[in-house]
């Protein structure tokens, strides 16, 4: 069945981002309609319009974009729709245009790219691959207090900083997480909350100047189908209703107080 074309995207004016679908429609130079970026059946795919919004504000046409956790290739497809040169890496590449690499050790020169976008695993909630290096195997609420997960993410963020040119932008899309305590009585709400967003923000702050924090509202219809909303109320836990989108800037030519000292340099222009 044919459907009507979705309206063109517009750059959003506020820090609360919401869009009714995961993907957007666009037409290429030959007039062909493209209705999907990445793979709609891939668990954990980034909403493509989120990446579109970022590229419209923080890149220009010739800017080189990199996604070290490329998954189903959403960033690559969004870059194609906007004419940005792009490289996507993943430990478990699903398409030939995604290169196999660990986000902690990218095959890229220092300061060689203009924008880094990452949507990493948020603890262990999705089984991405059997690769032992998969960060999705590390529990942010595990017995080690999440040390292994945050150590891995510290390396991936530092690598993003290494490959990024000075005065260019870095964005990280992430959600907090919660897991029920094993054997907890129904309705007790006993479990472990993992404030992954704030923890990763603190790690990024050591390398970057914060530009802004966006709340991206999640409209997951699968939750309704699987009765999850009802269960969350009955069992006294929260479903994740939003993702953070942290936007940072590499500013290595200004002496920074780096958070802990409470001073932030004024935001320099490009
Ligand atoms: C949330 S998904 C990314 C989704 C992607 N942005 C998309 O729209 O399809 C996280 C990805 O990180 C990958 N991954 C996990 N550990 C990794 C590592 N150490 N280096 C590179 N990729 C890794 C997983 O294989 C998975 O594809």
């Amino acid at each position: 069945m044919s459907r009507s074309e979705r309206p063109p995207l517009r750059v959003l004016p506020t820090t609360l981002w919401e869009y009714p679908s995961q993907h957007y429609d666009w037409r290429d130079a030959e007039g062909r309609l493209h209705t999907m970026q990445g793979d709609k059946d891939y668990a954990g795919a980034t909403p493509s319009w989120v990446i579109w919004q970022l590229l419209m504000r923080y890149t220009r046409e010739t800017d080189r974009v990199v996604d070290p956790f490329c998954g189903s290739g959403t960033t690559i497809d969004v870059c194609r729709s906007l004419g940005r040169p792009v490289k996507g890496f993943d430990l478990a590449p699903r398409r030939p245009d995604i290169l196999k690499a660990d986000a902690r050790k990218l095959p890229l020169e220092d300061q060689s790219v203009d924008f880094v976008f990452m949507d990493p695993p948020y603890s262990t909630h999705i089984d991405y691959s059997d690769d032992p290096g998969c960060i999705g195997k590390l529990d942010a609420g595990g017995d080690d207090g999440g040390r292994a997960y945050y150590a891995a993410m510290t390396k991936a963020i530092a690598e993003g900083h290494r490959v990024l040119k000075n005065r260019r932008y870095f964005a990280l899309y992430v959600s907090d997480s919660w897991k029920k305590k094993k054997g907890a009585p129904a309705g007790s709400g006993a479990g472990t909350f993992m404030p992954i967003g704030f923890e990763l923000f603190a790690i990024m702050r050591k390398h970057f100047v914060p530009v802004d924090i966006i709340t991206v509202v999640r409209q997951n219809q699968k939750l309704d189908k699987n009765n999850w909303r009802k269960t969350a109320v009955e069992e006294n836990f929260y479903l994740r209703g939003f993702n953070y989108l942290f936007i940072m800037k590499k500013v290595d030519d200004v002496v920074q107080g780096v958070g802990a000292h409470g001073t932030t340099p004024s935001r320099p222009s490009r």
Side-chain angles (χ1 to χ4, degrees), residues 17-269:
W17 290 7
E18 206 174 352
Y19 188 73
S21 64
Q22 175 87 2
H23 305 280
Y24 59 89
D25 291 348
W26 68 282
R27 285 187 185 272
D28 61 25
E30 281 77 47
R32 277 186 301 259
L33 179 66
H34 298 261
T35 59
M36 188 170 73
Q37 301 78 38
D39 181 351
K40 70 178 171 44
D41 296 322
Y42 175 79
T46 315
S48 55
W49 59 271
V50 169
I51 303 169
W52 186 94
Q53 293 288 337
L54 288 168
L55 298 186
M56 290 298 287
R57 276 195 187 251
Y58 300 105
T59 67
R60 294 170 288 208
E61 269 216 25
T62 50
D63 282 354
R64 296 179 65 196
V65 176
V66 162
D67 184 340
F69 296 95
C70 201
S72 66
T74 309
T75 302
I76 294 178
D77 295 341
V78 174
C79 283
R80 291 206 176 121
S81 81
L82 288 173
R84 304 315 191 241
V86 58
K87 279 201 173 134
F89 302 96
D90 201 286
L91 265 191
R94 279 164 184 81
R95 309 182 345 191
D97 56 354
I98 300 174
L99 309 170
K100 184 172 168 74
D102 192 310
R104 292 163 285 190
K105 202 172 187 321
L106 297 172
L108 293 171
E109 302 280 316
D110 292 358
Q111 303 208 41
S112 56
V113 307
D114 300 281
F115 188 81
V116 175
F117 172 75
M118 56 171 75
D119 178 1
Y122 323 149
S123 195
T124 51
H125 70 309
I126 296 177
D127 188 12
Y128 291 109
S129 74
D130 292 334
D131 195 300
C134 179
I135 293 174
K137 298 197 180 312
L138 304 174
D139 189 348
D143 293 340
D144 68 345
R147 274 197 182 78
Y149 174 80
Y150 290 114
M153 283 309 302
T154 298
K155 285 189 183 154
I157 289 166
E159 189 65 349
H161 174 267
R162 179 186 72 76
V163 301
L164 191 65
K165 290 179 193 164
N166 194 34
R167 301 208 168 224
R168 297 292 197 266
Y169 295 86
F170 174 99
L172 187 144
Y173 183 71
V174 76
S175 159
D176 296 325
S177 193
W178 183 87
K179 68 173 177 184
K180 190 176 172 180
K181 189 178 170 193
K182 275 195 191 118
S188 70
T192 308
F193 172 63
M194 293 160 249
I196 299 175
F198 278 22
E199 298 288 1
L200 296 188
F201 182 86
I203 295 168
M204 283 184 285
R205 194 63 189 85
K206 295 187 176 136
H207 297 283
F208 299 101
V209 175
V211 172
D212 225 315
I213 300 177
I214 308 292
T215 298
V216 180
V217 176
R218 296 176 59 177
Q219 298 192 344
N220 193 341
Q221 280 126 12
K222 279 185 209 147
L223 294 177
D224 284 332
K225 243 189 258 163
N226 297 334
N227 237 357
W228 273 105
R229 291 181 207 276
K230 189 165 167 272
T231 313
V233 174
E234 283 171 6
E235 300 253 328
N236 199 17
F237 64 87
Y238 292 103
L239 298 167
R240 297 294 117 202
F242 69 92
N243 271 40
Y244 300 97
L245 180 63
F246 297 118
I247 303 163
M248 314 296 278
K249 185 168 183 171
K250 178 166 175 174
V251 186
D252 281 4
D253 53 343
V254 174
V255 179
Q256 290 186 48
V258 192
H261 308 287
T263 52
T264 304
S266 59
R267 191 197 302 179
S269 57

